[in-house]
Amino acid sequence: MGKKHNDHHDKHRSKESCCNQNVNQKVEVKVESGQGNSGPPAQVLTLFSTQENNRVIIPSNGLTVPVLTLEVITTEQNQRVKLDAMIETIIQVVSPNVSTYSFDLRMDLRRSATILTDERVQGIYIRPAPNQQIEYSWHPNFTWVDVPGPPGTYSYFVDVTQIAGLNETSIVESRALAAIVFPPV
């Protein structure tokens, strides 16, 4: 029984260490037609992914903080890259004796310097009780299809910027970015 118990903890430890670091993966899937030999040739879809689970405090001075990076490889002209991202954002109100708090976070999904799309999390709230510590969580997400052009390696990023805020701390925690490369149109 002792060995079984230790094996369980070893598995648990490796899962924890996996989740607290950057995990990059590339997986290829061959998609074949149901038409046998006379159908179109098999196509290979490639999945690239990364995820992190460490806390990043977003500064209130308007600086942009990159929170995810993913390298994607295309092998043909005008392949389509479907991107999906999720970002857990946490707002903590810890300042004593304040009755209101506000926040405005912008999350950008970009390829190199080109912003593809963005998502905002914002609000102005009244604190229910003085000195009560408050923590709220949101899970904004993106879905975007990019056609980057010629074959090559492309860098995709998710950045977070605190546009405005009052009496709060903005944090990014769990986040993930996945890309599937499809054949060209």
Side-chain angles (χ1 to χ4, degrees):
M1 176 152 182
K3 180 165 178 25
K4 190 175 192 180
H5 183 71
N6 288 338
D7 288 346
H8 170 73
H9 283 291
D10 289 342
K11 288 178 186 174
H12 185 65
R13 272 191 221 108
S14 32
K15 181 180 177 186
E16 283 179 351
S17 62
C18 164
C19 295
N20 289 324
Q21 58 185 319
N22 187 356
V23 178
N24 288 303
Q25 297 178 353
K26 176 184 173 189
V27 178
E28 290 188 0
V29 176
K30 188 174 182 179
V31 179
E32 295 188 31
S33 162
Q35 298 177 3
N37 293 337
S38 63
Q43 299 175 348
V44 175
L45 304 180
T46 308
L47 169 69
F48 298 87
S49 65
T50 187
Q51 59 191 30
E52 294 192 30
N53 194 29
N54 57 323
R55 283 189 163 207
V56 176
I57 295 176
I58 306 302
S60 59
N61 59 6
L63 290 177
T64 298
V65 178
V67 295
L68 283 171
T69 303
L70 182 64
E71 299 288 319
V72 174
I73 301 167
T74 62
T75 57
E76 297 179 57
Q77 180 77 19
N78 293 327
Q79 281 185 295
R80 296 166 293 161
V81 179
K82 181 180 185 275
L83 299 151
D84 291 297
M86 180 284 301
I87 308 160
E88 177 185 19
T89 56
I90 299 170
I91 305 299
Q92 289 181 336
V93 183
V94 294
S95 300
N97 301 316
V98 296
S99 59
T100 62
Y101 61 97
S102 65
F103 55 91
D104 186 356
L105 296 174
R106 186 185 75 227
M107 284 137 272
D108 296 325
L109 174 63
R110 63 183 170 90
R111 176 183 17 92
S112 298
T114 303
I115 295 176
L116 302 173
T117 188
D118 65 75
E119 180 69 33
R120 298 281 289 266
V121 175
Q122 54 192 358
I124 299 172
Y125 295 94
I126 296 174
R127 193 179 206 163
N131 299 325
Q132 176 185 9
Q133 184 168 336
I134 300 170
E135 185 173 285
Y136 293 102
S137 180
W138 285 267
H139 296 84
N141 55 60
F142 307 97
T143 295
W144 192 260
V145 177
D146 188 32
V147 182
T153 301
Y154 294 92
S155 297
Y156 290 93
F157 302 91
V158 175
D159 301 329
V160 179
T161 306
Q162 183 166 323
I163 305 299
L166 176 66
N167 301 320
E168 49 72 38
T169 300
S170 300
I171 300 166
V172 168
E173 197 163 80
S174 298
R175 55 212 182 267
L177 177 59
I180 300 174
V181 178
F182 288 89
V185 237

